[in-house]
Coordinates of all heavy atoms in Angstrom, one line a residue:
Q458 N 1.5 22.0 10.7 CA 2.7 22.8 11.0 C 3.7 21.8 11.5 O 4.9 22.0 11.2 CB 2.3 23.8 12.0 CG 3.4 24.7 12.6 CD 4.1 25.4 11.5 OE1 3.5 26.2 10.8 NE2 5.4 25.2 11.4
K459 N 3.4 21.0 12.4 CA 4.3 20.0 13.0 C 5.0 19.1 11.9 O 6.2 18.9 11.9 CB 3.6 19.1 14.0 CG 3.5 19.7 15.4 CD 2.9 18.8 16.4 CE 2.4 19.5 17.6 NZ 1.4 18.7 18.3
I460 N 4.1 18.6 11.0 CA 4.7 17.8 10.0 C 5.6 18.6 9.0 O 6.7 18.1 8.7 CB 3.5 17.2 9.1 CG1 2.7 16.2 10.0 CG2 4.1 16.4 7.9 CD1 1.3 15.8 9.4
A461 N 5.2 19.8 8.7 CA 6.1 20.7 7.9 C 7.4 20.9 8.6 O 8.5 20.8 7.9 CB 5.4 22.0 7.7
S462 N 7.4 21.1 9.9 CA 8.7 21.4 10.6 C 9.6 20.1 10.5 O 10.8 20.2 10.3 CB 8.5 21.7 12.0 OG 7.7 22.9 12.1
R463 N 8.9 19.0 10.7 CA 9.7 17.7 10.7 C 10.3 17.5 9.3 O 11.5 17.1 9.2 CB 8.7 16.5 10.9 CG 8.8 16.1 12.4 CD 8.3 14.6 12.5 NE 9.4 13.7 12.4 CZ 9.2 12.4 11.9 NH1 8.0 12.0 11.6 NH2 10.2 11.6 11.9
Y464 N 9.5 17.7 8.2 CA 10.0 17.6 6.9 C 11.2 18.5 6.7 O 12.3 18.1 6.2 CB 8.9 18.0 5.9 CG 7.8 17.0 5.5 CD1 6.8 17.4 4.7 CD2 7.9 15.7 6.0 CE1 5.8 16.4 4.3 CE2 6.9 14.8 5.6 CZ 5.9 15.1 4.8 OH 4.9 14.2 4.4
T465 N 11.0 19.8 7.0 CA 12.0 20.8 6.7 C 13.3 20.4 7.5 O 14.4 20.5 6.9 CB 11.6 22.2 7.1 OG1 10.4 22.5 6.3 CG2 12.6 23.2 6.8
E466 N 13.2 19.9 8.7 CA 14.4 19.5 9.5 C 15.1 18.3 8.8 O 16.3 18.3 8.6 CB 14.0 19.1 10.9 CG 14.8 19.7 12.0 CD 14.0 19.5 13.3 OE1 14.3 18.4 13.9 OE2 13.2 20.3 13.7
A467 N 14.2 17.4 8.4 CA 14.8 16.1 7.8 C 15.5 16.4 6.4 O 16.4 15.7 6.0 CB 13.7 15.1 7.6
F468 N 15.0 17.4 5.8 CA 15.5 17.7 4.4 C 16.8 18.6 4.4 O 17.3 18.9 3.4 CB 14.5 18.3 3.5 CG 13.3 17.4 3.3 CD1 12.0 17.9 3.0 CD2 13.4 16.0 3.4 CE1 10.9 17.1 2.9 CE2 12.3 15.1 3.2 CZ 11.1 15.7 3.0
A469 N 17.2 19.1 5.6 CA 18.3 20.0 5.7 C 19.6 19.3 5.1 O 19.8 18.1 5.4 CB 18.6 20.4 7.1
G470 N 20.3 19.9 4.3 CA 21.5 19.4 3.7 C 21.3 18.8 2.3 O 22.2 18.7 1.5
L471 N 20.0 18.6 1.9 CA 19.8 18.1 0.5 C 20.2 19.1 -0.6 O 20.4 18.7 -1.7 CB 18.3 17.7 0.4 CG 17.9 16.4 1.1 CD1 16.4 16.1 0.8 CD2 18.8 15.2 0.6
E472 N 20.2 20.4 -0.2 CA 20.7 21.4 -1.2 C 22.1 21.2 -1.5 O 22.6 21.8 -2.6 CB 20.4 22.8 -0.7 CG 21.2 23.3 0.5 CD 20.9 22.7 1.9 OE1 19.9 22.1 2.0 OE2 21.7 22.9 2.8
K473 N 22.9 20.4 -0.7 CA 24.3 20.1 -1.1 C 24.3 19.1 -2.2 O 25.3 19.0 -2.9 CB 25.1 19.7 0.1 CG 25.3 20.8 1.1 CD 26.2 20.4 2.3 CE 26.1 21.4 3.4 NZ 25.5 20.7 4.6
I474 N 23.3 18.3 -2.3 CA 23.2 17.3 -3.3 C 22.6 17.8 -4.6 O 23.2 17.6 -5.7 CB 22.4 16.0 -2.8 CG1 23.1 15.5 -1.6 CG2 22.3 15.0 -3.9 CD1 22.3 14.5 -0.8
D475 N 21.5 18.5 -4.4 CA 20.8 19.1 -5.6 C 20.8 20.7 -5.3 O 20.1 21.1 -4.4 CB 19.4 18.6 -5.7 CG 18.6 19.3 -6.8 OD1 19.1 20.2 -7.4 OD2 17.5 18.7 -7.1
Q476 N 21.5 21.4 -6.2 CA 21.6 22.9 -5.9 C 20.3 23.7 -6.0 O 20.2 24.8 -5.6 CB 22.8 23.4 -6.7 CG 24.0 23.0 -6.1 CD 25.3 23.3 -6.8 OE1 25.3 24.0 -7.8 NE2 26.4 22.8 -6.3
T477 N 19.3 23.0 -6.7 CA 18.1 23.7 -6.9 C 17.1 23.4 -5.7 O 16.0 24.0 -5.6 CB 17.4 23.3 -8.2 OG1 18.4 23.4 -9.2 CG2 16.2 24.1 -8.6
F478 N 17.6 22.4 -4.9 CA 16.6 22.0 -3.8 C 16.3 23.0 -2.8 O 17.2 23.7 -2.2 CB 17.2 20.7 -3.1 CG 16.3 20.1 -2.1 CD1 15.4 19.2 -2.5 CD2 16.3 20.5 -0.8 CE1 14.5 18.6 -1.6 CE2 15.4 20.0 0.2 CZ 14.5 19.0 -0.3
T479 N 15.0 23.3 -2.6 CA 14.6 24.2 -1.5 C 13.4 23.6 -0.8 O 12.6 22.8 -1.3 CB 14.2 25.6 -2.0 OG1 13.1 25.4 -2.9 CG2 15.3 26.4 -2.7
T480 N 13.3 24.0 0.5 CA 12.1 23.6 1.3 C 11.3 25.0 1.4 O 11.8 26.0 1.1 CB 12.4 23.1 2.6 OG1 13.4 24.0 3.3 CG2 13.1 21.7 2.6
P481 N 10.0 24.9 1.8 CA 9.2 26.1 1.9 C 9.8 27.2 2.8 O 10.3 26.9 3.8 CB 7.9 25.6 2.4 CG 7.8 24.2 2.0 CD 9.2 23.7 2.1
H482 N 9.7 28.4 2.3 CA 10.2 29.6 3.1 C 9.0 30.3 3.6 O 8.2 30.9 2.8 CB 11.1 30.5 2.2 CG 11.5 31.7 2.9 ND1 12.5 31.8 3.8 CD2 11.0 33.0 2.9 CE1 12.7 33.0 4.3 NE2 11.8 33.8 3.7
I483 N 8.8 30.4 5.0 CA 7.7 31.1 5.6 C 8.3 32.4 6.2 O 9.2 32.4 7.0 CB 7.0 30.2 6.7 CG1 6.6 28.9 6.1 CG2 5.8 31.0 7.2 CD1 5.7 28.9 4.9
K484 N 7.7 33.5 5.7 CA 8.3 34.8 6.1 C 8.0 35.1 7.6 O 7.0 34.6 8.1 CB 7.6 35.9 5.3 CG 8.2 36.1 4.0 CD 7.6 37.3 3.4 CE 8.6 37.9 2.4 NZ 8.1 39.2 1.9
D485 N 8.8 35.9 8.3 CA 8.6 36.3 9.6 C 7.2 37.0 9.7 O 6.8 37.8 8.9 CB 9.6 37.4 10.0 CG 10.9 36.7 10.4 OD1 11.0 35.5 10.5 OD2 11.9 37.4 10.6
G486 N 6.5 36.6 10.7 CA 5.1 37.2 10.9 C 4.0 36.4 10.2 O 2.9 36.6 10.5
N487 N 4.4 35.5 9.4 CA 3.5 34.7 8.7 C 3.4 33.3 9.3 O 4.3 32.7 9.9 CB 3.9 34.4 7.3 CG 3.4 35.5 6.3 OD1 2.9 36.5 6.8 ND2 3.7 35.3 5.1
G488 N 2.2 32.6 9.2 CA 2.0 31.2 9.6 C 1.3 30.6 8.5 O 0.3 31.0 8.1
S489 N 1.9 29.5 7.9 CA 1.2 28.9 6.8 C 0.2 27.9 7.3 O 0.3 27.3 8.4 CB 2.2 28.1 5.9 OG 1.6 27.5 4.8
V490 N -0.9 27.6 6.5 CA -1.9 26.6 6.9 C -1.5 25.4 6.0 O -2.3 24.4 6.0 CB -3.3 27.0 6.7 CG1 -3.7 28.1 7.7 CG2 -3.6 27.5 5.3
W491 N -0.4 25.4 5.2 CA 0.1 24.3 4.6 C -0.9 23.6 3.7 O -1.1 22.4 3.8 CB 0.7 23.3 5.5 CG 1.9 23.9 6.3 CD1 1.8 24.4 7.6 CD2 3.2 24.2 5.8 NE1 3.1 25.0 7.9 CE2 3.9 24.9 6.8 CE3 3.8 24.0 4.6 CZ2 5.2 25.3 6.7 CZ3 5.2 24.4 4.4 CH2 5.8 25.0 5.5
A492 N -1.5 24.3 2.7 CA -2.3 23.7 1.7 C -1.4 22.7 0.9 O -1.9 21.7 0.5 CB -2.8 24.8 0.7
Q493 N -0.2 23.1 0.8 CA 0.8 22.2 0.1 C 2.1 22.4 0.8 O 2.5 23.4 1.3 CB 1.0 22.6 -1.4 CG -0.2 22.6 -2.2 CD -1.0 21.3 -2.3 OE1 -0.4 20.2 -2.1 NE2 -2.2 21.3 -2.7
Y494 N 2.9 21.3 0.8 CA 4.3 21.4 1.2 C 5.1 21.2 -0.1 O 5.1 20.1 -0.7 CB 4.7 20.3 2.2 CG 6.1 20.4 2.7 CD1 6.4 21.1 3.9 CD2 7.2 19.9 2.0 CE1 7.7 21.3 4.4 CE2 8.5 20.1 2.4 CZ 8.7 20.8 3.6 OH 10.0 21.0 4.1
T495 N 5.7 22.2 -0.6 CA 6.3 22.3 -1.9 C 7.7 22.5 -2.0 O 8.3 23.5 -1.4 CB 5.5 23.4 -2.7 OG1 4.1 23.1 -2.7 CG2 6.0 23.4 -4.2
L496 N 8.4 21.6 -2.7 CA 9.9 21.6 -2.8 C 10.2 22.2 -4.2 O 9.3 22.2 -5.1 CB 10.5 20.2 -2.7 CG 10.1 19.4 -1.5 CD1 10.5 17.9 -1.8 CD2 10.8 19.9 -0.3
T497 N 11.5 22.6 -4.4 CA 12.0 22.7 -5.8 C 13.2 21.8 -6.0 O 13.9 21.6 -5.0 CB 12.4 24.2 -6.1 OG1 13.5 24.6 -5.2 CG2 11.3 25.2 -5.9

Side-chain angles (χ1 to χ4, degrees):
Q458 175 60 55
K459 279 185 198 157
I460 297 167
S462 299
R463 265 203 87 208
Y464 277 176
T465 299
E466 230 168 88
F468 300 151
L471 285 179
E472 72 284 350
K473 289 187 196 115
I474 299 168
D475 176 350
Q476 285 174 6
T477 308
F478 186 86
T479 59
T480 52
H482 174 78
I483 307 303
K484 282 191 150 187
D485 280 350
N487 275 5
S489 181
V490 294
W491 300 102
Q493 305 297 342
Y494 185 97
T495 304
L496 306 166
T497 61

